[in-house]
Amino acid sequence: MAQTKSQRTVPVVLIVVAVALIAARVAAHWFTPEKKASLVQWVPLEQVGQLAAATNKFILIDFTAEWCEPCHQLDAEVFGDPALSSEINRRFLAVRVTDRKREEGRNPAYIQQLEQRYHVNSYPTVVFVDAGGLERARMEGYGGPEQFKRIMESVR
């Protein structure tokens, strides 16, 4: 009889654990904030130089990483904000550079070169440059939409 009881205990425990894991997964899905879509018109890196010369716009370079939580906040609170994204689209050519070092062990050479050129050591880093690539302003880390707006407005 002792064997029968212990044999039943194992399947019951497994069922309880399985149900708990499924419930946790469902709860995580329901309570994870939905990612806001970016309203910024991102320009491919290969095209930005030519477009900057033709339009005489400044360039906004968003150095980001998939694993970076402040980067996701920047996406939601700035690039997903209608007023801020409208101002970005009006005044800048926006380029997104995604660091892949953590995921793939290294970045492609062009990303490495850009990160070295603009001294990117943390994420997010947003660098505002003129059409010739000269840095005009930068934001390292994310201090909220008001900080971003102040830095963006300083670019003239």
Side-chain angles (χ1 to χ4, degrees), residues 39-114:
L39 301 175
V40 171
Q41 297 167 355
W42 299 102
V43 175
L45 187 59
E46 313 80 54
Q47 297 175 8
V48 76
Q50 185 179 5
L51 285 171
T55 62
N56 204 27
K57 284 186 172 185
F58 290 103
I59 301 167
L60 176 158
I61 308 171
D62 173 36
F63 289 94
T64 187
E66 290 293 325
W67 51 263
C68 169
E69 187 56 37
C71 298
H72 296 297
Q73 284 183 281
L74 174 64
D75 286 344
E77 296 174 9
V78 172
F79 302 141
D81 178 86
L84 288 171
S85 59
S86 177
E87 183 68 9
I88 290 168
N89 292 333
R90 185 179 70 76
R91 292 191 50 216
F92 301 94
L93 296 171
V95 176
R96 175 162 279 166
V97 177
T98 303
D99 184 271
R100 301 290 303 162
K101 203 177 308 177
R102 187 177 281 187
E103 294 87 347
E104 297 172 11
R106 65 187 180 99
N107 282 314
Y110 70 93
I111 290 179
Q112 253 180 304
Q113 291 168 352
L114 277 172

